[in-house]
Structures are given as structure tokens and as C-alpha cells.
Amino acid sequence: MALDHNGPARTPDSLIDEIRSSAPPNGCSAIWFFGQASVALKGRETVIHVDPFYSDYLERQQGVKRWYPSLLKPEDITAADLVLITHEHEDHLDPWTLSAIAAQCPQAVFMAPAVCRPILESECGIPAERIVDALTGEWIELQSAGGEGVRIKPVPAAHEALRTTGSEREHRYVGYLIELNGVKLYHAGDTTVYPGLADLLREEQIDVGLLPINGRDYFRGERGLIGNMNYREAAELASAAQIETVIPLHYDGFAGNSEKPGYFVQELYERTPWQKCHVMARAERYVYVSPRAFV
């Protein structure tokens, strides 16, 4: 197999074909990692993208260059049933990627905090009827074009504080609980740990938690970078919330706002060695197998 500077060569077509053809059995979910907070999830047939950030929008608009080139381009995304956006920052709500997905996947539904709706409609060209506001605190039942059911529950996120933009359920920043093919996942979005978060998550009995680890500090704050939990806090949250398997996110997008995932693994090993974790390679397909797969 040919190698490049990013490791074994993977073509965009092969990645999309892999996502489209993967059909894990009940009690299992497939996860792909594409850097920063961008992941794709697959049940038996439903393809979910969370915070897809595949363009060079930030570099062209603001001169902010990615640490490494995106492994996918917006025009590559031809498989999507549901797109979840956690907040309006461009490395999570990427207008060029979302407009391409909307055009290429006419069945796709987009969920985002209510404050994002004007951006999705005006900048991304997504019709209002394809947008669902991410109101926190209640499960939402959705169904893919093929009929597979998916449950979504938006969860408040504190990036770096909890903020609402209307009613008490209209949070500006959210994470998502996702029930897919018998597996419960939590994508935290961008958040710090706030009072009650660990209790909320523990009650949900989460199989897979995807948590940011890049942290925050004074100097990044002075540069206008809003922060997240650091790797120590993420490790403690995973343990306190009794998350079965934890995956770190948001550490490899930009050189000035990064972290070493090895620190996260070492923290877990020293403090909670029973905590299962997985650090994902770029574009890796990781198939999570829950205990329910054997029932």
C-alpha cells in the first residue's frame, strides 16, 4: 500500500464507500474520526456526521491554517442522513461543507442550536424544513430514509460558560446524546465541565463518550480562543460519569490550540486504569461492540 506523510493512503472514495457499506450488527456502531471534533457514525444504515469540518474555509476567510489537510473535501460527502452541529464556530459549523452536504444528500436533516438557523439558511442554503433546532433536555425521535430509528438528545455545553439565546432550552452550545443501533454515544461538542454534567451523563449510562481535551489558558483567551476541558478534566469526567469507553477529540486541528492525546491516556492509566479508552487514527473506522451485542 502506498504511503504519504499522513500514513497509509486512503482515497476519499474509499472512505465514503467504507462508510456507506459498513453495517454493524445490533449493539454495535461504527465511528470514523476526521480531526478536530469531526466524526461520522453509522448504525445498520443511518449515517450521522457530527461537526463536519472538511473545507479550507477558515484559511481562506481568516488565514487560519489547519495542522494537516482535511482527509475529505466537502464534495466527497455523498452519504449523510443526519448532520449534528454543536455550535456556530467555523471549525464546527463549516458553511462550505454543510452547503455541499445539503446539495449532495437531499435526504439529510440538519440539527443545530437555534442561534445557528440563520447561518444554515442564508450561508449554507439549507431549506428551513430540513433544519431541526437542538432544544436541550428531551429525546427527539428521527428516522433515516431506510427506516432505521435514531434518538437524539441535545445536552447543554459550557464553552466556556453555559449560555442560552432564548428559552431555557435554547442553549448556544450543545453536545449530543445519540442512540444508534443499540449503542448510546455522547459527543460533547466544545465544553468545560460544569456542575451537574457528570450526574446527567451518569444517569444516561453512556457506552461511548467523545470528549474534547485541548483545554484553555490565559494566553489562548487573549487570542480570542474559547476553551474546553483539559485532558485531566476529561479523564475525571469519563470516570465520574461512568462512561464505558472514552475517545478524545479536539486536539489536532490547529497548532496553537492543540494537545497531546498521550497525556490523556497516561492520566487515565495512572488515575483510573480500569477506564477503557481509544485514541483514533485519522480516518480510522472503529467499531464499538457493546455488551448488548452478545445478548
Side-chain angles (χ1 to χ4, degrees):
M1 180 180 289
L3 299 178
D4 62 19
H5 69 283
N6 285 319
R10 299 292 306 276
T11 67
D13 284 345
S14 71
L15 286 169
I16 296 302
D17 286 345
E18 184 177 85
I19 292 173
R20 184 179 284 111
S21 63
S22 294
N26 188 57
C28 305
S29 286
I31 304 169
W32 290 261
F33 174 58
F34 295 109
Q36 197 69 342
S38 300
V39 299
L41 311 172
K42 180 77 183 291
R44 289 290 295 173
E45 59 185 38
T46 305
V47 178
I48 302 175
H49 292 267
V50 187
D51 286 348
F53 172 47
Y54 304 138
S55 81
D56 56 359
Y57 178 89
L58 269 175
E59 182 175 358
R60 294 194 186 187
Q61 298 294 315
Q62 301 178 27
V64 180
K65 190 171 183 178
R66 304 174 69 120
W67 200 351
Y68 59 90
S70 175
L71 304 176
L72 293 173
K73 303 298 182 190
E75 59 269 23
D76 298 325
I77 310 303
T78 56
D81 296 294
L82 177 61
V83 181
L84 304 178
I85 303 301
T86 61
H87 62 289
E88 78 273 19
H89 293 156
E90 291 90 343
D91 56 331
H92 299 260
L93 193 167
D94 173 3
W96 292 357
T97 295
L98 297 183
S99 60
I101 294 176
Q104 294 160 183
C105 305
Q107 79 284 0
V109 173
F110 297 78
M111 183 179 290
V115 70
C116 300
R117 180 177 280 270
I119 304 173
L120 296 177
E121 292 185 17
S122 62
E123 294 188 33
C124 305
I126 302 172
E129 60 270 19
R130 294 176 63 186
I131 302 171
V132 179
D133 292 337
L135 302 178
T136 59
E138 291 185 6
W139 286 99
I140 301 167
E141 307 277 349
L142 299 170
Q143 198 170 65
S144 71
E148 183 179 24
V150 182
R151 299 179 75 223
I152 306 292
K153 183 178 181 180
V155 175
H159 185 37
E160 298 177 6
L162 293 169
R163 302 186 188 279
T164 54
T165 59
S167 73
E168 62 181 12
R169 295 180 59 205
E170 292 182 9
H171 281 84
R172 179 175 177 180
Y173 314 114
V174 302
Y176 290 100
L177 289 163
I178 304 161
E179 281 193 354
L180 179 66
N181 201 37
V183 176
K184 185 177 287 187
L185 305 102
Y186 169 58
H187 188 298
D190 276 5
T191 190
T192 54
V193 181
Y194 57 85
L197 178 60
D199 293 336
L200 183 159
L201 299 178
R202 185 169 56 252
E203 290 173 2
E204 293 290 349
Q205 298 182 318
I206 294 165
D207 294 305
V208 181
L210 300 106
L211 307 180
I213 64 166
N214 63 300
R216 63 212 178 277
D217 57 52
Y218 171 82
F219 294 101
R220 278 184 282 181
E222 285 293 289
R223 301 200 305 271
L225 298 175
I226 306 175
N228 297 313
M229 65 183 91
N230 61 34
Y231 68 88
R232 290 189 177 92
E233 293 169 313
E236 291 203 34
L237 177 63
S239 176
Q242 298 177 6
I243 295 172
E244 207 269 346
T245 296
V246 62
I247 296 173
L249 295 182
H250 211 295
Y251 56 80
D252 68 341
F254 305 96
N257 194 22
S258 61
E259 187 51 274
K260 293 179 172 61
Y263 290 170
F264 176 69
V265 175
Q266 186 68 21
E267 185 74 10
L268 289 173
Y269 178 75
E270 292 179 357
R271 297 173 68 95
T272 54
W274 56 86
Q275 174 67 59
K276 289 192 278 186
C277 70
H278 184 72
V279 177
M280 295 192 66
R282 297 170 188 172
E284 173 190 2
R285 177 181 60 185
Y286 168 62
V287 179
Y288 172 80
V289 181
S290 79
R292 291 176 294 285
F294 302 98
V295 176

